[in-house]
Amino acid sequence: MPKTRVGVFVCHCGNNIAGVVRVPEVVEYARGLPNVVHVEDNLYACSEEGLSAIKEQIAEQNLNRVVVASCTPRTHEPLFKAACEEAGLNKYLFEFVNIREHCSWIHMHDPARATEKAKELVKMGVAKACYLEPQEELESEVFPAALVIGGGVAGMTAALNLGRQGIQVHLVEREQELGGLVRNVRTLFPTEQDTEELLEPLVEQLKSHPQITTYLGGEVENVDGFIGDFDVTIATDRQTKELKVGTVIVATGAHELKPTGFYGYSRLPNVVTQLEFEERFKQEGADIPRNVVMINCVGARIPERTYCGRFCCTTAIKNAIWLKEQDPEANVYVLQRDVMAYGVDIEKFYRRSMELGVRFVRYDIENPPQIMGEERAEAVKAYHQLMGREVVLPADLVVLTTPLVPREDNERLSKMLKVPLGSEGFFLEAHVKLRPIEFATDGVYVCGSARYPSNIPESVSQAYAAAAKAAIPIRDGLVRVQAITAFCDEGTCTACGNCVQVCPFGAIELQEGRFGTTARVNVAQCKGCGCCVAACPSGALQQRGFDDRQLFSMICALAEEMTSGFGG
Amino acid sequence: MVLEDRGGDGFEPKILIFACNWCSYAGADLAGVSRLQMPPNSRVIRVMCSARVRPEFVITALSQGLDGVLILGCHPGDCHYSEGNYLTRRRGLFLKNLLEYMGIEPERFQVRWVSASEGAKFADIVEEVTGQLKGLCPNRPPGHSE
Amino acid sequence: MSNRSVLVIGGGIAGIQASIDLANMGFQVCLVESTPSIGGRMAQLDKTFPTNDCSMCILAPKMIECGGHEKVHLLTYSEVVEVQGEAGDFKVTVRRKPRYIDLAKCTGCGECVEKCPRRVPDEFNMGLEKRKAVYLPFPQAVPRKMTIDAEACLYLIKGRCRVCEETCQAGAIEFGQEEELLDLQVGAIVMATGFDPYDPAPLTEYGYGELENVITGLEYERLICASGPTGGNLQRPSDGKVPQLIAFIQCVGSRDVNYKPYCSSVCCMHATKEAILANEHYPELESFIFYTDMRAVGKQFQEYIIRAREEYNVSHIRSRPGKITVDEESGNPIVWYDETMFSEAGDPVRRVTSMEVDLVVLCQALVPHGVHREMVEKLGLELDESGFLAIPDKLIRPVDTTVLGIFACGFCQSPQDIPDSVVQASAAAARVAELLTPQE
């Protein structure tokens, strides 16, 4: 076992540290610490000069541990680590001590005690450094293929983008046809094209792309593994296929709420949803009703389902405009509780609908509209909030605007892929703000209405984004994990299972091995938080770079300074 | 230890702070960047997540004579590892009860939440806890030699 | 070589995300940002809805990842001056404005800033505070290097001072520095130039600029932010008093045929967030949001609005106020409006009424960042009638501009919040990858 040889480099940071902390004293003090064979100070440790000095000393003094006392590791740690590597020293044998943000800058009026504190911090850093061990970053190979679950607009977009990046794609669609929800829509916003015009070219390109294999009428039965190495079982009615992929995209969409129990839906023949409206009326020869009343926010923004369907207002406006274009004399009313015409295009569309004579009536959730009529809806009675009175609107047709709701299958998928669902039942992304299409589980991504109701441009953007994320590990070929992961000493493990329960990422499993059943950490999934280590009663689980010996050594180094505790 | 045995003038408590990399350590950094001055009694140990801190660290620190131990983490709901700070919170409560049962003053162990933008809060906490611990006697557990 | 390189214009969250994704996909990225640091508008926010995460806390790691990525080359304090060529082979000229600092030597220690005698209004803090002529725009700036503002520096204007040069132990001050023109060859370009707040001064009925206690949303954001000019104490401009009653006026300049006809998308949530923050700081404080439609369409947004009403003393009044006057003595603004909704039948008389408050926050329209108009010409791009970068095929190619090989993400192409911008940024990266992969 080579003797531990620690080099300590104390930075002045111009005057930032040296103006308060007496650096020469800290240098002297460090010389007396166990295992320290070299100490020097530098004006700016992070400068070219400073880094060169460190590299030189590693070579000259055969240093096998380096401690730099300067600013916060959160900025320059990678720089110093790279310097160590360049000098041939494993970068995990480096320890950073913060004597600027945590010392000189906050004790500017007490140089004596700031200096004492700096000495103790260096002592703690050296103590930990002595217990550091060289680490290799895990590189795990990524199988160069992706699985896309769902063949709607989102799934097809993601698959096509990946295919065109030269990546092999397996696209699984439950129905016999591609297109998903958009197949049930007749015309599009804002272009007013027929949906066929959008879908057909997509489907054509997809089917003819050499990198993409489509499984129609297929189900994903099982997914095992982790990023870079997923084993997938796909079942169609003809066969079961096993394949390997590196990443997975969930694009399973959602479906329109059928609001049974609301406004006579499913009881009265002329009360329909927006999609049903499109199916029935947006075709050759259909009779356009003269009096149409639409009711928005049906089954949405209510106590039982608090979310907003996001683009249902857009759909209502689209269909209202269509009606007025077919028959300018038609009476079209839209009963609403906030018109969600956000952005540029939808707001413009909203304004246009009003110019065409569509009338918007604001109603209140406390005073919902009532359908009048026995065998059919004949009129809608509503309390018009802006007029302050009740109005009765004759209706040949009542169209209910409902939100998309999560698919029942989401639960099964979420367990299979080890990804969570949110409280509404849609897939829950890693971070609502900055990681909206990733999961906490690496290698699985989500896009489109499977995540939350999204209109076509939004679903397509998300699909492209998911394709970018899914492509990254594949293009790289390797997944690299920072070596601050946990590991289990199987000889000591008692298989209590605490760690398995506590890991936020599902990275630990109890497995059979040489010592019986023990915990094993999947390093590719481990994020290096250390939750499991603190939960381990036997000490079998440790975290590289933050193990118990290292942290205890810091505590003891600090406590050793406790003599009488006076004038600390 | 007699309760009235205060350290008297000149007693400076020594406080160990565990700070998580993503929030509280960054908050402490911001306090530094903002040049917020505070008493030089505390020493920070960086961990990736506050949940790394096992109760034995706290007990060891206190039994070796450190006057106080703080665990600082991200605000509940903001943990970089999603759930770590919930674990910290639960362990913290349990440990607090245990330490009080052992006769250790409650001020000597605290769990607090500091986000990366709360430099001022970090400074306030250091100030507050230093003051609290100064008002107690030095932590010299039975058997500790002087 | 060129088609492994990509230019990203704009270093806000969208530009940062696009750069990170592209770099991770193996491309060399040049990120050009006109201010001294990346971070953009998100760096100015205190918290972000609907999670109320501290904005800088979630942004800073991304900034560090971006700035530190071996494949990302940051060109801050720089602008694009010329673009020629076509998809797969663009030739771009970038002007690096002189910072008068040697970036290789500057360690960001900040000693020069302490000694500099010259103060000017701080843009990062919306002019509510002053900064020095040599400065770091905010503490978490990436790159962490100083900049000397040539329009403020005493030496550069009058030939006096040079204190910074004396102070700097690294010898990083370089008054002789000149602008540099760099030529780049890239395969694709991603626009991510973001937004500017629309100046509400033309809406004279609201008195912005005249009435001291009428401020904008971004100004409020800096006041409530712990790292802002008042350390997070919500002190109103006239007398430093903490308001007990705040009025938020929505759609100031938005949804208005006289100014901007479109909806800026984020202001309803933004106002609700600000009202929640105010109440978190001061539990007795009450807020009223004057709105037309509460557009809370994103994930967890409705629940956020409900919590604001139930737990944070936030009330909503459906009205677009007609004017704001002031009580001369107290400085309290008075909001004049008519309630448009009747909660009970039998009272259908619209009354004009007024509410005296302590502070008014105008949720102003947000417009695509000004400078990009000039750039748009250079790039041959088209704008739509509202000034956003035109996206010809919104349905299937939502991040493709009118020029092949140039993509646009974030607010520069349509009003959107942070999650949408981040999605579009990654989408742009995917489109670039597709474009630059040779198709058989």
Side-chain angles (χ1 to χ4, degrees):
Chain A
M1 200 74 194
K3 200 166 178 321
T4 309
R5 296 175 64 81
V6 182
V8 179
F9 300 83
V10 186
C11 183
H12 287 237
C13 192
N15 240 352
N16 282 301
I17 295 175
V20 176
V21 169
R22 294 170 203 147
V23 172
E25 266 185 55
V26 178
V27 168
E28 267 320 296
Y29 176 82
R31 290 217 165 97
L33 292 171
N35 297 312
V36 172
V37 301
H38 176 81
V39 187
E40 69 180 68
D41 58 319
N42 202 295
L43 193 60
Y44 289 108
C46 60
S47 64
E48 275 310 306
E49 258 189 85
L51 294 172
S52 300
I54 294 174
K55 287 187 267 191
E56 266 172 46
Q57 294 307 320
I58 291 175
E60 275 187 37
Q61 304 279 339
N62 267 326
L63 300 177
N64 52 29
R65 301 288 187 283
V66 169
V67 176
V68 167
S70 62
C71 50
T72 173
R74 285 167 53 88
T75 38
H76 287 320
E77 186 167 57
L79 198 64
F80 288 112
K81 280 188 148 158
C84 290
E85 289 260 287
E86 282 166 42
L89 182 68
N90 183 287
K91 65 184 181 184
Y92 287 90
L93 296 171
F94 168 81
E95 183 65 20
F96 212 126
V97 175
N98 185 338
I99 58 171
R100 190 182 71 173
E101 280 86 339
H102 288 194
C103 191
S104 69
W105 273 351
I106 56 176
H107 309 310
M108 284 167 24
H109 310 300
D110 200 341
R113 292 178 66 198
T115 306
E116 288 311 300
K117 176 167 169 174
K119 289 180 191 170
E120 285 177 24
L121 289 171
V122 169
K123 182 182 185 195
M124 288 159 73
V126 169
K128 180 178 177 194
C130 292
Y131 285 106
L132 289 174
E133 282 168 34
Q135 305 291 351
E136 293 308 318
E137 282 173 351
L138 176 84
E139 283 183 353
S140 167
E141 271 189 35
V142 178
F143 194 85
L147 171 69
V148 177
I149 311 179
V153 171
M156 289 196 284
T157 301
L160 270 172
N161 180 269
L162 284 167
R164 289 177 179 145
Q165 287 191 47
I167 295 172
Q168 196 191 10
V169 184
H170 300 278
L171 173 68
V172 182
E173 165 55 47
R174 165 179 295 171
E175 304 293 325
Q176 291 297 337
E177 266 185 84
L178 294 166
L181 198 66
V182 175
R183 262 186 313 127
N184 300 330
V185 180
R186 288 283 173 270
T187 60
L188 301 170
F189 160 84
T191 54
E192 293 177 359
Q193 296 166 282
D194 276 345
T195 44
E196 296 280 293
E197 279 178 48
L198 184 100
L199 284 179
E200 265 179 28
L202 260 185
V203 171
E204 257 322 294
Q205 290 162 29
L206 193 91
K207 286 195 160 157
S208 61
H209 202 288
Q211 292 281 46
I212 305 175
T213 312
T214 312
Y215 303 82
L216 291 176
E219 287 280 351
V220 176
E221 300 240 298
N222 198 37
V223 176
D224 273 325
F226 54 92
I227 182 177
D229 196 353
F230 288 107
D231 289 306
V232 180
T233 310
I234 300 176
T236 55
D237 50 10
R238 297 214 210 107
Q239 46 165 303
T240 304
K241 194 132 194 241
E242 310 263 334
L243 34 90
K244 238 194 218 305
V245 297
T247 51
V248 179
I249 296 180
V250 175
T252 50
H255 61 94
E256 190 194 42
L257 172 70
K258 303 297 181 196
T260 310
F262 287 90
Y263 304 112
Y265 179 78
S266 82
R267 185 172 54 85
L268 303 175
N270 59 341
V271 175
V272 298
T273 64
Q274 291 284 354
L275 274 186
E276 287 161 0
F277 167 83
E278 298 220 19
E279 269 167 60
R280 269 214 243 167
F281 294 95
K282 281 186 176 177
Q283 46 184 315
E284 291 297 315
D287 259 323
I288 309 298
R290 174 46 71 92
N291 297 305
V292 180
V293 177
M294 297 189 178
I295 306 179
N296 285 0
C297 298
V298 176
R301 303 177 68 209
I302 54 176
E304 302 77 41
R305 189 179 294 106
T306 46
Y307 65 85
C308 162
R310 193 173 177 103
F311 64 87
C312 5
C313 277
T314 309
T315 307
I317 295 171
K318 175 189 78 171
N319 288 336
I321 290 181
W322 185 86
L323 276 166
K324 286 299 253 183
E325 283 176 338
Q326 305 305 309
D327 177 9
E329 303 299 308
N331 295 311
V332 182
Y333 285 87
V334 178
L335 276 50
Q336 49 89 359
R337 294 193 269 133
D338 290 310
V339 177
M340 308 300 197
Y342 57 94
V344 179
D345 296 330
I346 315 177
E347 179 73 43
K348 196 169 155 190
F349 215 44
Y350 176 33
R351 194 185 305 278
R352 171 143 182 263
S353 70
M354 289 192 277
E355 285 164 4
L356 285 175
V358 175
R359 298 223 188 67
F360 290 82
V361 174
R362 196 181 178 95
Y363 77 92
D364 185 18
I365 198 178
E366 306 291 325
N367 256 319
Q370 284 160 28
I371 307 292
M372 301 170 68
E374 286 302 316
E375 303 297 311
R376 317 169 42 80
E378 279 160 24
V380 179
K381 182 158 63 165
Y383 180 74
H384 194 314
Q385 272 193 310
L386 307 190
M387 286 177 78
R389 61 181 176 83
E390 234 171 37
V391 294
V392 175
L393 308 168
D396 300 315
L397 179 69
V398 175
V399 186
L400 304 180
T401 312
T402 58
L404 290 187
V405 292
R407 292 194 179 282
E408 291 76 29
D409 199 40
N410 283 1
E411 271 228 50
R412 181 187 73 95
L413 257 183
S414 93
K415 292 200 170 71
M416 188 168 71
L417 294 166
K418 298 204 204 111
V419 295
L421 297 178
S423 51
E424 338 85 340
F426 294 106
F427 287 95
L428 181 62
E429 62 266 61
H431 190 273
V432 157
K433 277 319 245 198
L434 290 192
R435 301 181 67 203
I437 46 121
E438 296 165 78
F439 286 110
T441 307
D442 280 336
V444 187
Y445 314 96
V446 64
C447 57
S449 295
R451 184 200 77 99
Y452 191 75
S454 309
N455 64 23
I456 295 175
E458 290 160 358
S459 297
V460 169
S461 290
Q462 290 167 28
Y464 277 119
K469 301 296 189 193
I472 288 171
I474 293 174
R475 290 175 73 108
D476 195 323
L478 292 172
V479 169
R480 255 172 235 90
V481 181
Q482 223 200 339
I484 50 170
T485 48
F487 65 94
C488 180
D489 172 7
E490 293 172 35
T492 315
C493 174
T494 60
C496 70
N498 274 358
C499 54
V500 178
Q501 279 188 37
V502 147
C503 175
F505 304 98
I508 312 183
E509 274 181 351
L510 288 176
Q511 291 180 357
E512 288 303 314
R514 217 159 32 108
F515 295 91
T517 312
T518 54
R520 204 165 300 165
V521 179
N522 181 342
V523 176
Q525 286 174 298
C526 174
K527 294 279 190 275
C529 61
C531 293
C532 55
V533 183
C536 177
S538 64
L541 264 171
Q542 289 298 332
Q543 181 181 8
R544 299 176 171 97
F546 293 91
D547 73 29
D548 283 340
R549 266 189 329 175
Q550 290 156 7
L551 296 173
F552 273 122
S553 75
M554 295 177 90
I555 299 170
C556 296
L558 180 62
E560 222 182 12
E561 299 293 311
M562 307 303 295
T563 49
S564 62
F566 285 83
Chain B
M1 273 181 291
V2 181
L3 281 174
E4 296 86 50
D5 182 20
R6 298 278 186 234
D9 290 326
F11 165 53
E12 291 294 343
K14 190 146 292 173
I15 308 165
L16 178 59
I17 301 181
F18 289 96
C20 73
N21 183 66
W22 302 97
C23 279
S24 40
Y25 192 96
D29 280 348
L30 182 58
V33 163
S34 315
R35 311 295 197 279
L36 299 175
Q37 301 302 299
M38 58 196 95
N41 299 61
S42 62
R43 312 282 183 263
V44 171
I45 290 182
R46 182 173 76 121
V47 287
M48 293 312 287
C49 180
S50 58
R52 173 67 188 91
V53 181
R54 61 189 321 152
E56 292 89 328
F57 292 161
V58 178
I59 295 173
T60 302
L62 292 173
S63 67
Q64 299 223 345
L66 290 171
D67 294 289
V69 181
L70 293 185
I71 305 179
L72 303 182
C74 307
H75 287 262
D78 290 351
C79 178
H80 183 82
Y81 303 100
S82 9
E83 299 163 13
N85 54 1
Y86 294 134
L87 284 171
T88 307
R89 182 163 61 178
R90 276 177 250 152
R91 285 184 193 138
L93 283 172
F94 152 77
L95 193 53
K96 252 188 127 51
N97 284 336
L98 178 63
L99 291 173
E100 280 188 51
Y101 180 74
M102 287 161 64
I104 295 177
E105 299 93 324
E107 294 89 341
R108 295 198 189 277
F109 168 64
Q110 301 184 35
V111 174
R112 305 282 275 267
W113 314 119
V114 175
S115 85
S117 66
E118 288 179 318
K121 188 167 180 201
F122 177 80
D124 287 342
I125 291 174
V126 169
E127 188 89 49
E128 185 194 328
V129 174
T130 307
Q132 286 171 345
L133 295 177
K134 268 197 186 183
L136 305 177
C137 54
N139 178 29
R140 302 293 167 265
H144 187 102
S145 57
E146 304 244 328
Chain C
M1 235 8 231
S2 71
N3 60 5
R4 299 302 297 172
S5 296
V6 184
L7 171 68
V8 177
I9 308 181
I13 183 62
I16 290 170
Q17 183 64 57
S19 301
I20 292 174
D21 283 339
L22 285 163
N24 283 337
M25 286 167 114
F27 296 98
Q28 294 289 336
V29 180
C30 231
L31 174 52
V32 172
E33 164 57 43
S34 63
T35 68
S37 168
I38 57 177
R41 293 288 172 199
M42 197 176 162
Q44 291 179 291
L45 300 179
D46 179 30
K47 302 245 166 90
T48 57
F49 56 76
T51 48
N52 281 2
D53 277 314
C54 144
S55 187
M56 186 53 80
C57 307
I58 57 177
L59 177 63
K62 288 249 173 183
M63 287 169 61
I64 293 175
E65 190 187 346
C66 181
H69 202 296
E70 57 176 10
K71 292 204 161 71
V72 175
H73 186 40
L74 286 185
L75 287 173
T76 53
Y77 215 51
S78 304
E79 311 174 321
V80 170
V81 289
E82 189 77 57
V83 176
Q84 310 229 342
E86 54 180 18
D89 193 13
F90 288 108
K91 290 179 184 29
V92 182
T93 309
V94 175
R95 175 198 300 130
R96 296 188 77 166
K97 300 183 285 196
R99 297 163 104 117
Y100 308 101
I101 304 275
D102 182 342
L103 292 187
K105 294 187 181 153
C106 176
T107 60
C109 73
E111 287 181 23
C112 52
V113 178
E114 279 177 57
K115 297 290 195 293
C116 175
R118 180 89 158 112
R119 286 173 191 273
V120 291
D122 180 2
E123 309 84 345
F124 183 78
N125 278 305
M126 306 305 294
L128 295 171
E129 214 188 19
K130 297 241 158 99
R131 60 154 171 85
K132 301 293 185 71
V134 60
Y135 70 110
L136 197 63
F138 51 94
Q140 302 85 351
V142 171
R144 195 188 164 70
K145 309 279 179 188
M146 302 306 164
T147 303
I148 297 182
D149 177 1
E151 291 173 17
C153 170
L154 286 176
Y155 179 70
L156 290 169
I157 301 175
K158 300 187 190 173
R160 296 194 326 245
C161 187
R162 299 179 88 141
V163 170
C164 51
E165 207 179 22
E166 289 165 30
T167 313
C168 179
Q169 296 193 41
I173 308 288
E174 221 180 61
F175 282 117
Q177 202 176 82
E178 292 187 352
E179 80 172 26
E180 235 188 293
L181 287 178
L182 294 174
D183 284 316
L184 307 172
Q185 267 192 307
V186 297
I189 301 178
V190 177
M191 300 286 295
T193 46
F195 71 86
D196 283 331
Y198 182 67
D199 180 7
L203 288 91
T204 51
E205 61 271 27
Y206 288 151
Y208 178 72
E210 305 264 323
L211 306 179
E212 272 188 280
N213 293 321
V214 173
I215 63 176
T216 63
L218 268 178
E219 287 168 352
Y220 175 97
E221 198 77 29
R222 293 315 301 152
L223 288 176
I224 201 98
C225 186
S227 58
T230 56
N233 294 315
L234 189 58
Q235 290 164 335
R236 69 177 193 173
S238 69
D239 53 10
K241 181 177 121 150
V242 170
Q244 291 306 297
L245 187 56
I246 305 181
F248 291 88
I249 317 286
Q250 301 307 105
C251 307
V252 174
S254 295
R255 302 187 70 189
D256 192 332
V257 290
N258 303 306
Y259 303 100
K260 301 292 166 193
Y262 58 84
C263 163
S264 300
S265 266
V266 303
C267 333
C268 284
M269 286 300 290
H270 177 76
T272 305
K273 174 195 70 176
E274 297 195 323
I276 289 179
L277 293 180
N279 186 265
E280 271 183 354
H281 284 230
Y282 308 103
E284 299 303 313
L285 194 157
E286 250 190 283
S287 297
F288 283 88
I289 300 182
F290 291 83
Y291 76 104
T292 306
D293 291 285
M294 274 314 276
R295 293 186 169 166
V297 298
K299 200 161 179 177
Q300 297 173 22
F301 287 10
Q302 283 295 316
E303 293 79 359
Y304 193 73
I305 307 278
I306 293 171
R307 265 179 35 227
R309 281 198 199 121
E310 291 179 355
E311 297 171 34
Y312 293 97
N313 267 351
V314 179
S315 306
H316 293 84
I317 296 181
R318 189 178 180 283
S319 175
R320 194 180 284 206
K323 72 174 175 196
I324 301 178
T325 57
V326 70
D327 175 314
E328 293 294 343
E329 260 194 66
S330 60
N332 290 346
I334 304 171
V335 179
W336 293 88
Y337 65 101
D338 67 333
E339 281 235 35
T340 59
M341 301 212 296
F342 301 91
S343 45
E344 296 151 23
D347 184 23
V349 177
R350 283 262 183 89
R351 267 179 279 271
V352 172
T353 182
S354 68
M355 182 189 288
E356 186 174 327
V357 299
D358 297 314
L359 181 69
V360 170
V361 180
L362 301 178
C363 291
Q364 73 228 111
L366 303 174
V367 299
H369 179 52
V371 166
H372 97 190
R373 277 178 188 267
E374 297 158 24
M375 207 185 315
V376 157
E377 277 177 36
K378 295 171 193 148
L379 290 153
L381 294 171
E382 277 172 42
L383 297 178
D384 71 13
E385 59 203 15
S386 298
F388 292 93
L389 282 174
I391 305 289
D393 183 358
K394 292 202 173 162
L395 289 172
I396 289 299
R397 298 253 186 274
V399 295
D400 286 35
T401 64
T402 47
V403 175
L404 180 65
I406 305 186
F407 305 97
C409 56
F411 214 102
C412 65
Q413 60 122 293
S414 63
Q416 53 193 271
D417 61 14
I418 293 168
D420 293 338
S421 303
V422 165
V423 163
Q424 283 202 345
S426 299
R431 286 291 294 138
V432 168
E434 196 184 317
L435 179 80
L436 298 183
T437 303
Q439 301 293 328
E440 277 101 53

